[in-house]
Amino acid sequence: MVTHVPAEAHGDERGALLSFIAEQRGGIRRSVLRLTDEQAVSTPSASELSLAGLVKHVAEVEQMWVSMAKGEPPAVVRDQGNWHECFRLVGGETVESQLEYWEKVAAETEAFVRSVPSLDDTFALPDQPWFPPDGRVSMRWLCLHLIRETARHAGHADIIRESLDGATAFDLVAAEHQVEAGS
């Protein structure tokens, strides 16, 4: 654990889930701290993943899941023809623009999760071969899935960043505190 997630107010399950999502987002956001776009799009490890691509991917995926829960179409539709663009900057996109987009997505996620009547409310899963037919999941499942998805990619980001310049998650937390303190 690199950062501490404060305990929720007694009985505030939504707050706890949202805090853990935010903690994992922070790990990915810190991974691009003090990097140029050129560094952020580079692929210094054995993987084809870049930090910029991870930022874009997790923002898109979070937005897609929340849209699905709302019964709305996603902001970006991905299929076999454009799936590869989910992990790389295209058409003038920058790390900064993706971070700004993700900040908006995060605010929408928080507002939505706080607005649903119950975390037990469900929504339909898409008709995809990897989901059960007529599958439904709860809002609680949505939050847990976003934690899992973001945490998985935060781990990728740790490896990529350390491969780039040796900075570890602990180094980046300290650097973030310096930025916040104005140093």
Side-chain angles (χ1 to χ4, degrees), residues 65-86:
W65 275 105
V66 172
S67 290
M68 192 182 326
K70 290 179 175 180
E72 300 172 355
V76 178
V77 177
R78 295 286 177 203
D79 58 28
Q80 288 182 334
N82 68 357
W83 179 253
H84 64 284
E85 292 178 0
C86 182

Side-chain angles (χ1 to χ4, degrees), residues 51-180:
L51 295 172
L54 287 173
V55 169
K56 180 178 179 177
H57 173 72
V58 292
E60 281 190 14
V61 167
E62 182 173 332
Q63 193 283 328
M64 182 265 316
W65 275 105
V66 172
S67 290
M68 192 182 326
K70 290 179 175 180
E72 300 172 355
V76 178
V77 177
R78 295 286 177 203
D79 58 28
Q80 288 182 334
N82 68 357
W83 179 253
H84 64 284
E85 292 178 0
C86 182
F87 284 99
R88 65 177 63 126
L89 302 181
V90 296
E93 294 171 334
T94 63
V95 172
E96 184 178 340
S97 71
Q98 293 304 301
L99 288 169
E100 288 171 4
Y101 174 67
W102 197 14
E103 191 172 316
K104 291 176 187 170
V105 168
E108 291 171 12
T109 299
E110 176 149 354
F112 174 69
V113 169
R114 291 207 179 272
S115 74
V116 295
S118 171
L119 291 174
D120 294 327
D121 290 352
T122 64
F123 63 95
L125 290 170
D127 183 18
Q128 299 290 341
W130 45 88
F131 293 126
D134 301 319
R136 297 188 70 79
V137 293
S138 69
M139 299 302 165
R140 181 178 294 99
W141 183 96
L142 167 69
C143 291
L144 293 168
H145 180 72
L146 290 176
I147 293 166
R148 178 182 69 174
E149 174 79 13
T150 310
R152 180 171 191 248
H153 292 309
H156 294 140
D158 285 344
I159 292 167
I160 295 168
R161 179 60 190 255
E162 192 167 354
S163 296
L164 265 173
D165 64 2
T168 67
F170 292 103
D171 298 329
L172 296 172
V173 167
E176 180 181 49
H177 288 300
Q178 288 174 348
V179 168
E180 290 170 356

